[in-house]
PDB file of all heavy atoms in Angstrom:
ATOM      1  N   THR A   1       8.270  -6.742  -9.857  1.00 96.00           N
ATOM      2  CA  THR A   1       8.065  -5.340 -10.220  1.00 96.00           C
ATOM      3  C   THR A   1       7.516  -5.210 -11.636  1.00 96.00           C
ATOM      4  O   THR A   1       6.549  -4.482 -11.874  1.00 96.00           O
ATOM      5  CB  THR A   1       9.383  -4.553 -10.084  1.00 96.00           C
ATOM      6  OG1 THR A   1       9.818  -4.629  -8.727  1.00 96.00           O
ATOM      7  CG2 THR A   1       9.214  -3.106 -10.485  1.00 96.00           C
ATOM      8  N   LEU A   2       8.118  -5.935 -12.580  1.00 96.00           N
ATOM      9  CA  LEU A   2       7.659  -5.859 -13.970  1.00 96.00           C
ATOM     10  C   LEU A   2       6.243  -6.406 -14.127  1.00 96.00           C
ATOM     11  O   LEU A   2       5.399  -5.786 -14.775  1.00 96.00           O
ATOM     12  CB  LEU A   2       8.621  -6.606 -14.888  1.00 96.00           C
ATOM     13  CG  LEU A   2       9.967  -5.937 -15.117  1.00 96.00           C
ATOM     14  CD1 LEU A   2      10.903  -6.879 -15.876  1.00 96.00           C
ATOM     15  CD2 LEU A   2       9.802  -4.635 -15.867  1.00 96.00           C
ATOM     16  N   ALA A   3       5.981  -7.564 -13.538  1.00 97.00           N
ATOM     17  CA  ALA A   3       4.653  -8.173 -13.682  1.00 97.00           C
ATOM     18  C   ALA A   3       3.570  -7.285 -13.082  1.00 97.00           C
ATOM     19  O   ALA A   3       2.526  -7.056 -13.691  1.00 97.00           O
ATOM     20  CB  ALA A   3       4.631  -9.554 -13.049  1.00 97.00           C
ATOM     21  N   LEU A   4       3.829  -6.761 -11.888  1.00 98.00           N
ATOM     22  CA  LEU A   4       2.807  -5.955 -11.213  1.00 98.00           C
ATOM     23  C   LEU A   4       2.678  -4.549 -11.782  1.00 98.00           C
ATOM     24  O   LEU A   4       1.715  -3.849 -11.465  1.00 98.00           O
ATOM     25  CB  LEU A   4       3.090  -5.920  -9.711  1.00 98.00           C
ATOM     26  CG  LEU A   4       2.931  -7.274  -9.016  1.00 98.00           C
ATOM     27  CD1 LEU A   4       3.415  -7.201  -7.576  1.00 98.00           C
ATOM     28  CD2 LEU A   4       1.498  -7.778  -9.106  1.00 98.00           C
ATOM     29  N   SER A   5       3.608  -4.148 -12.635  1.00 98.00           N
ATOM     30  CA  SER A   5       3.498  -2.836 -13.280  1.00 98.00           C
ATOM     31  C   SER A   5       2.521  -2.856 -14.457  1.00 98.00           C
ATOM     32  O   SER A   5       2.084  -1.805 -14.921  1.00 98.00           O
ATOM     33  CB  SER A   5       4.867  -2.344 -13.755  1.00 98.00           C
ATOM     34  OG  SER A   5       5.299  -3.086 -14.885  1.00 98.00           O
ATOM     35  N   LEU A   6       2.161  -4.047 -14.912  1.00 97.00           N
ATOM     36  CA  LEU A   6       1.197  -4.162 -16.000  1.00 97.00           C
ATOM     37  C   LEU A   6      -0.203  -3.844 -15.483  1.00 97.00           C
ATOM     38  O   LEU A   6      -0.554  -4.206 -14.357  1.00 97.00           O
ATOM     39  CB  LEU A   6       1.230  -5.568 -16.593  1.00 97.00           C
ATOM     40  CG  LEU A   6       2.574  -6.001 -17.170  1.00 97.00           C
ATOM     41  CD1 LEU A   6       2.548  -7.478 -17.512  1.00 97.00           C
ATOM     42  CD2 LEU A   6       2.922  -5.162 -18.388  1.00 97.00           C
ATOM     43  N   GLU A   7      -0.980  -3.191 -16.299  1.00 97.00           N
ATOM     44  CA  GLU A   7      -2.311  -2.750 -15.889  1.00 97.00           C
ATOM     45  C   GLU A   7      -3.203  -3.925 -15.476  1.00 97.00           C
ATOM     46  O   GLU A   7      -3.323  -4.913 -16.204  1.00 97.00           O
ATOM     47  CB  GLU A   7      -2.977  -1.994 -17.036  1.00 97.00           C
ATOM     48  CG  GLU A   7      -4.313  -1.402 -16.671  1.00 97.00           C
ATOM     49  CD  GLU A   7      -4.915  -0.594 -17.802  1.00 97.00           C
ATOM     50  OE1 GLU A   7      -4.172  -0.149 -18.687  1.00 97.00           O
ATOM     51  OE2 GLU A   7      -6.141  -0.417 -17.776  1.00 97.00           O
ATOM     52  N   GLY A   8      -3.788  -3.819 -14.303  1.00 98.00           N
ATOM     53  CA  GLY A   8      -4.760  -4.782 -13.832  1.00 98.00           C
ATOM     54  C   GLY A   8      -4.196  -6.100 -13.331  1.00 98.00           C
ATOM     55  O   GLY A   8      -4.952  -7.025 -13.057  1.00 98.00           O
ATOM     56  N   VAL A   9      -2.886  -6.214 -13.199  1.00 98.00           N
ATOM     57  CA  VAL A   9      -2.277  -7.472 -12.756  1.00 98.00           C
ATOM     58  C   VAL A   9      -2.269  -7.553 -11.230  1.00 98.00           C
ATOM     59  O   VAL A   9      -1.956  -6.577 -10.551  1.00 98.00           O
ATOM     60  CB  VAL A   9      -0.847  -7.623 -13.315  1.00 98.00           C
ATOM     61  CG1 VAL A   9      -0.123  -8.807 -12.689  1.00 98.00           C
ATOM     62  CG2 VAL A   9      -0.896  -7.778 -14.823  1.00 98.00           C
ATOM     63  N   THR A  10      -2.625  -8.726 -10.737  1.00 98.00           N
ATOM     64  CA  THR A  10      -2.553  -9.013  -9.308  1.00 98.00           C
ATOM     65  C   THR A  10      -1.724 -10.281  -9.116  1.00 98.00           C
ATOM     66  O   THR A  10      -1.476 -11.022 -10.071  1.00 98.00           O
ATOM     67  CB  THR A  10      -3.953  -9.227  -8.699  1.00 98.00           C
ATOM     68  OG1 THR A  10      -4.591 -10.312  -9.373  1.00 98.00           O
ATOM     69  CG2 THR A  10      -4.798  -7.973  -8.814  1.00 98.00           C
ATOM     70  N   SER A  11      -1.316 -10.518  -7.880  1.00 98.00           N
ATOM     71  CA  SER A  11      -0.575 -11.740  -7.586  1.00 98.00           C
ATOM     72  C   SER A  11      -1.304 -12.495  -6.484  1.00 98.00           C
ATOM     73  O   SER A  11      -2.032 -11.903  -5.677  1.00 98.00           O
ATOM     74  CB  SER A  11       0.854 -11.431  -7.169  1.00 98.00           C
ATOM     75  OG  SER A  11       0.886 -10.695  -5.979  1.00 98.00           O
ATOM     76  N   TYR A  12      -1.108 -13.803  -6.455  1.00 98.00           N
ATOM     77  CA  TYR A  12      -1.733 -14.637  -5.435  1.00 98.00           C
ATOM     78  C   TYR A  12      -0.916 -15.913  -5.278  1.00 98.00           C
ATOM     79  O   TYR A  12      -0.216 -16.321  -6.210  1.00 98.00           O
ATOM     80  CB  TYR A  12      -3.190 -14.956  -5.800  1.00 98.00           C
ATOM     81  CG  TYR A  12      -3.344 -15.801  -7.037  1.00 98.00           C
ATOM     82  CD1 TYR A  12      -3.490 -17.183  -6.948  1.00 98.00           C
ATOM     83  CD2 TYR A  12      -3.338 -15.230  -8.295  1.00 98.00           C
ATOM     84  CE1 TYR A  12      -3.626 -17.965  -8.071  1.00 98.00           C
ATOM     85  CE2 TYR A  12      -3.461 -16.002  -9.434  1.00 98.00           C
ATOM     86  CZ  TYR A  12      -3.616 -17.375  -9.319  1.00 98.00           C
ATOM     87  OH  TYR A  12      -3.735 -18.147 -10.447  1.00 98.00           O
ATOM     88  N   PRO A  13      -0.969 -16.557  -4.114  1.00 98.00           N
ATOM     89  CA  PRO A  13      -0.252 -17.818  -3.910  1.00 98.00           C
ATOM     90  C   PRO A  13      -0.859 -18.904  -4.803  1.00 98.00           C
ATOM     91  O   PRO A  13      -2.079 -18.984  -4.961  1.00 98.00           O
ATOM     92  CB  PRO A  13      -0.486 -18.158  -2.446  1.00 98.00           C
ATOM     93  CG  PRO A  13      -1.042 -16.940  -1.822  1.00 98.00           C
ATOM     94  CD  PRO A  13      -1.651 -16.111  -2.901  1.00 98.00           C
ATOM     95  N   HIS A  14       0.009 -19.725  -5.367  1.00 97.00           N
ATOM     96  CA  HIS A  14      -0.429 -20.815  -6.249  1.00 97.00           C
ATOM     97  C   HIS A  14       0.491 -22.006  -6.007  1.00 97.00           C
ATOM     98  O   HIS A  14       1.598 -22.061  -6.543  1.00 97.00           O
ATOM     99  CB  HIS A  14      -0.365 -20.358  -7.703  1.00 97.00           C
ATOM    100  CG  HIS A  14      -0.830 -21.371  -8.689  1.00 97.00           C
ATOM    101  ND1 HIS A  14      -2.141 -21.768  -8.779  1.00 97.00           N
ATOM    102  CD2 HIS A  14      -0.150 -22.073  -9.624  1.00 97.00           C
ATOM    103  CE1 HIS A  14      -2.254 -22.660  -9.746  1.00 97.00           C
ATOM    104  NE2 HIS A  14      -1.052 -22.875 -10.273  1.00 97.00           N
ATOM    105  N   PHE A  15       0.072 -22.923  -5.152  1.00 96.00           N
ATOM    106  CA  PHE A  15       0.886 -24.064  -4.720  1.00 96.00           C
ATOM    107  C   PHE A  15       2.195 -23.536  -4.137  1.00 96.00           C
ATOM    108  O   PHE A  15       2.168 -22.728  -3.227  1.00 96.00           O
ATOM    109  CB  PHE A  15       1.095 -25.069  -5.854  1.00 96.00           C
ATOM    110  CG  PHE A  15      -0.200 -25.635  -6.364  1.00 96.00           C
ATOM    111  CD1 PHE A  15      -0.786 -25.149  -7.520  1.00 96.00           C
ATOM    112  CD2 PHE A  15      -0.845 -26.643  -5.668  1.00 96.00           C
ATOM    113  CE1 PHE A  15      -1.996 -25.658  -7.981  1.00 96.00           C
ATOM    114  CE2 PHE A  15      -2.053 -27.165  -6.122  1.00 96.00           C
ATOM    115  CZ  PHE A  15      -2.623 -26.669  -7.282  1.00 96.00           C
ATOM    116  N   ASP A  16       3.337 -23.937  -4.679  1.00 95.00           N
ATOM    117  CA  ASP A  16       4.632 -23.487  -4.157  1.00 95.00           C
ATOM    118  C   ASP A  16       5.176 -22.317  -4.978  1.00 95.00           C
ATOM    119  O   ASP A  16       6.374 -22.102  -5.062  1.00 95.00           O
ATOM    120  CB  ASP A  16       5.635 -24.646  -4.161  1.00 95.00           C
ATOM    121  CG  ASP A  16       5.901 -25.181  -5.557  1.00 95.00           C
ATOM    122  OD1 ASP A  16       5.061 -24.955  -6.467  1.00 95.00           O
ATOM    123  OD2 ASP A  16       6.942 -25.816  -5.759  1.00 95.00           O
ATOM    124  N   ARG A  17       4.282 -21.545  -5.562  1.00 98.00           N
ATOM    125  CA  ARG A  17       4.675 -20.451  -6.452  1.00 98.00           C
ATOM    126  C   ARG A  17       3.828 -19.214  -6.170  1.00 98.00           C
ATOM    127  O   ARG A  17       2.822 -19.288  -5.472  1.00 98.00           O
ATOM    128  CB  ARG A  17       4.505 -20.884  -7.915  1.00 98.00           C
ATOM    129  CG  ARG A  17       5.257 -22.187  -8.234  1.00 98.00           C
ATOM    130  CD  ARG A  17       5.098 -22.614  -9.657  1.00 98.00           C
ATOM    131  NE  ARG A  17       5.884 -21.795 -10.561  1.00 98.00           N
ATOM    132  CZ  ARG A  17       7.190 -21.923 -10.761  1.00 98.00           C
ATOM    133  NH1 ARG A  17       7.881 -22.835 -10.101  1.00 98.00           N
ATOM    134  NH2 ARG A  17       7.824 -21.149 -11.606  1.00 98.00           N
ATOM    135  N   LEU A  18       4.228 -18.105  -6.741  1.00 98.00           N
ATOM    136  CA  LEU A  18       3.443 -16.877  -6.725  1.00 98.00           C
ATOM    137  C   LEU A  18       2.947 -16.675  -8.151  1.00 98.00           C
ATOM    138  O   LEU A  18       3.744 -16.660  -9.094  1.00 98.00           O
ATOM    139  CB  LEU A  18       4.315 -15.689  -6.296  1.00 98.00           C
ATOM    140  CG  LEU A  18       3.624 -14.334  -6.268  1.00 98.00           C
ATOM    141  CD1 LEU A  18       2.535 -14.318  -5.184  1.00 98.00           C
ATOM    142  CD2 LEU A  18       4.636 -13.237  -6.007  1.00 98.00           C
ATOM    143  N   ALA A  19       1.636 -16.570  -8.326  1.00 98.00           N
ATOM    144  CA  ALA A  19       1.058 -16.429  -9.660  1.00 98.00           C
ATOM    145  C   ALA A  19       0.716 -14.972  -9.932  1.00 98.00           C
ATOM    146  O   ALA A  19       0.357 -14.219  -9.022  1.00 98.00           O
ATOM    147  CB  ALA A  19      -0.189 -17.293  -9.780  1.00 98.00           C
ATOM    148  N   PHE A  20       0.819 -14.595 -11.198  1.00 98.00           N
ATOM    149  CA  PHE A  20       0.444 -13.267 -11.669  1.00 98.00           C
ATOM    150  C   PHE A  20      -0.683 -13.448 -12.671  1.00 98.00           C
ATOM    151  O   PHE A  20      -0.604 -14.285 -13.565  1.00 98.00           O
ATOM    152  CB  PHE A  20       1.638 -12.579 -12.343  1.00 98.00           C
ATOM    153  CG  PHE A  20       2.811 -12.418 -11.424  1.00 98.00           C
ATOM    154  CD1 PHE A  20       3.852 -13.324 -11.436  1.00 98.00           C
ATOM    155  CD2 PHE A  20       2.860 -11.372 -10.509  1.00 98.00           C
ATOM    156  CE1 PHE A  20       4.930 -13.198 -10.582  1.00 98.00           C
ATOM    157  CE2 PHE A  20       3.929 -11.236  -9.647  1.00 98.00           C
ATOM    158  CZ  PHE A  20       4.965 -12.143  -9.683  1.00 98.00           C
ATOM    159  N   ARG A  21      -1.735 -12.638 -12.489  1.00 98.00           N
ATOM    160  CA  ARG A  21      -2.882 -12.801 -13.376  1.00 98.00           C
ATOM    161  C   ARG A  21      -3.528 -11.473 -13.715  1.00 98.00           C
ATOM    162  O   ARG A  21      -3.445 -10.508 -12.960  1.00 98.00           O
ATOM    163  CB  ARG A  21      -3.892 -13.774 -12.802  1.00 98.00           C
ATOM    164  CG  ARG A  21      -4.766 -13.275 -11.698  1.00 98.00           C
ATOM    165  CD  ARG A  21      -5.893 -14.262 -11.342  1.00 98.00           C
ATOM    166  NE  ARG A  21      -6.977 -14.176 -12.281  1.00 98.00           N
ATOM    167  CZ  ARG A  21      -7.468 -15.204 -12.980  1.00 98.00           C
ATOM    168  NH1 ARG A  21      -6.979 -16.399 -12.855  1.00 98.00           N
ATOM    169  NH2 ARG A  21      -8.469 -15.027 -13.809  1.00 98.00           N
ATOM    170  N   THR A  22      -4.168 -11.468 -14.868  1.00 97.00           N
ATOM    171  CA  THR A  22      -5.047 -10.378 -15.244  1.00 97.00           C
ATOM    172  C   THR A  22      -6.441 -10.785 -14.793  1.00 97.00           C
ATOM    173  O   THR A  22      -6.629 -11.845 -14.195  1.00 97.00           O
ATOM    174  CB  THR A  22      -5.034 -10.172 -16.772  1.00 97.00           C
ATOM    175  OG1 THR A  22      -5.553 -11.349 -17.393  1.00 97.00           O
ATOM    176  CG2 THR A  22      -3.635  -9.872 -17.291  1.00 97.00           C
ATOM    177  N   GLU A  23      -7.408  -9.997 -15.118  1.00 96.00           N
ATOM    178  CA  GLU A  23      -8.782 -10.343 -14.765  1.00 96.00           C
ATOM    179  C   GLU A  23      -9.188 -11.676 -15.387  1.00 96.00           C
ATOM    180  O   GLU A  23      -9.946 -12.444 -14.812  1.00 96.00           O
ATOM    181  CB  GLU A  23      -9.727  -9.243 -15.246  1.00 96.00           C
ATOM    182  CG  GLU A  23     -11.165  -9.469 -14.882  1.00 96.00           C
ATOM    183  CD  GLU A  23     -12.052  -8.339 -15.344  1.00 96.00           C
ATOM    184  OE1 GLU A  23     -11.683  -7.172 -15.151  1.00 96.00           O
ATOM    185  OE2 GLU A  23     -13.127  -8.643 -15.898  1.00 96.00           O
ATOM    186  N   ARG A  24      -8.641 -11.978 -16.553  1.00 95.00           N
ATOM    187  CA  ARG A  24      -9.070 -13.158 -17.299  1.00 95.00           C
ATOM    188  C   ARG A  24      -8.243 -14.415 -17.067  1.00 95.00           C
ATOM    189  O   ARG A  24      -8.765 -15.509 -17.167  1.00 95.00           O
ATOM    190  CB  ARG A  24      -9.073 -12.837 -18.785  1.00 95.00           C
ATOM    191  CG  ARG A  24     -10.102 -11.762 -19.121  1.00 95.00           C
ATOM    192  CD  ARG A  24     -10.210 -11.525 -20.557  1.00 95.00           C
ATOM    193  NE  ARG A  24     -10.568 -12.787 -21.219  1.00 95.00           N
ATOM    194  CZ  ARG A  24     -10.747 -12.904 -22.497  1.00 95.00           C
ATOM    195  NH1 ARG A  24     -10.595 -11.876 -23.275  1.00 95.00           N
ATOM    196  NH2 ARG A  24     -11.072 -14.063 -23.030  1.00 95.00           N
ATOM    197  N   ARG A  25      -6.918 -14.278 -16.817  1.00 96.00           N
ATOM    198  CA  ARG A  25      -6.121 -15.500 -16.716  1.00 96.00           C
ATOM    199  C   ARG A  25      -4.768 -15.284 -16.061  1.00 96.00           C
ATOM    200  O   ARG A  25      -4.252 -14.173 -16.034  1.00 96.00           O
ATOM    201  CB  ARG A  25      -5.904 -16.120 -18.077  1.00 96.00           C
ATOM    202  CG  ARG A  25      -5.004 -15.332 -18.996  1.00 96.00           C
ATOM    203  CD  ARG A  25      -4.827 -16.014 -20.312  1.00 96.00           C
ATOM    204  NE  ARG A  25      -6.129 -16.316 -20.833  1.00 96.00           N
ATOM    205  CZ  ARG A  25      -6.416 -16.640 -22.051  1.00 96.00           C
ATOM    206  NH1 ARG A  25      -5.473 -16.726 -22.928  1.00 96.00           N
ATOM    207  NH2 ARG A  25      -7.623 -16.895 -22.435  1.00 96.00           N
ATOM    208  N   THR A  26      -4.216 -16.381 -15.579  1.00 97.00           N
ATOM    209  CA  THR A  26      -2.853 -16.394 -15.059  1.00 97.00           C
ATOM    210  C   THR A  26      -1.899 -16.435 -16.243  1.00 97.00           C
ATOM    211  O   THR A  26      -2.098 -17.220 -17.165  1.00 97.00           O
ATOM    212  CB  THR A  26      -2.650 -17.627 -14.154  1.00 97.00           C
ATOM    213  OG1 THR A  26      -3.536 -17.516 -13.039  1.00 97.00           O
ATOM    214  CG2 THR A  26      -1.212 -17.727 -13.668  1.00 97.00           C
ATOM    215  N   PHE A  27      -0.871 -15.586 -16.202  1.00 98.00           N
ATOM    216  CA  PHE A  27       0.080 -15.568 -17.308  1.00 98.00           C
ATOM    217  C   PHE A  27       1.497 -15.928 -16.887  1.00 98.00           C
ATOM    218  O   PHE A  27       2.355 -16.157 -17.742  1.00 98.00           O
ATOM    219  CB  PHE A  27       0.068 -14.216 -18.031  1.00 98.00           C
ATOM    220  CG  PHE A  27       0.541 -13.061 -17.193  1.00 98.00           C
ATOM    221  CD1 PHE A  27       1.882 -12.712 -17.143  1.00 98.00           C
ATOM    222  CD2 PHE A  27      -0.362 -12.317 -16.454  1.00 98.00           C
ATOM    223  CE1 PHE A  27       2.319 -11.649 -16.377  1.00 98.00           C
ATOM    224  CE2 PHE A  27       0.060 -11.250 -15.690  1.00 98.00           C
ATOM    225  CZ  PHE A  27       1.403 -10.921 -15.648  1.00 98.00           C
ATOM    226  N   ALA A  28       1.754 -16.012 -15.585  1.00 98.00           N
ATOM    227  CA  ALA A  28       3.097 -16.380 -15.122  1.00 98.00           C
ATOM    228  C   ALA A  28       3.036 -16.847 -13.676  1.00 98.00           C
ATOM    229  O   ALA A  28       2.156 -16.431 -12.916  1.00 98.00           O
ATOM    230  CB  ALA A  28       4.046 -15.193 -15.234  1.00 98.00           C
TER     231      ALA A  28
END
């Protein structure tokens, strides 16, 4: 909820994890 509440953040599968990224980079 917190990660996706940030402007422009999307999530996507990343190996055995869920990644959160802005347009420019993954941050978590």
Side-chain angles (χ1 to χ4, degrees):
T1 300
L2 288 172
L4 293 172
S5 72
L6 300 171
E7 185 177 338
V9 171
T10 59
S11 63
Y12 65 96
H14 182 68
F15 300 100
D16 62 339
R17 306 180 74 79
L18 179 66
F20 300 97
R21 77 171 281 125
T22 63
E23 183 178 315
R24 296 185 58 179
R25 69 179 52 164
T26 297
F27 65 89

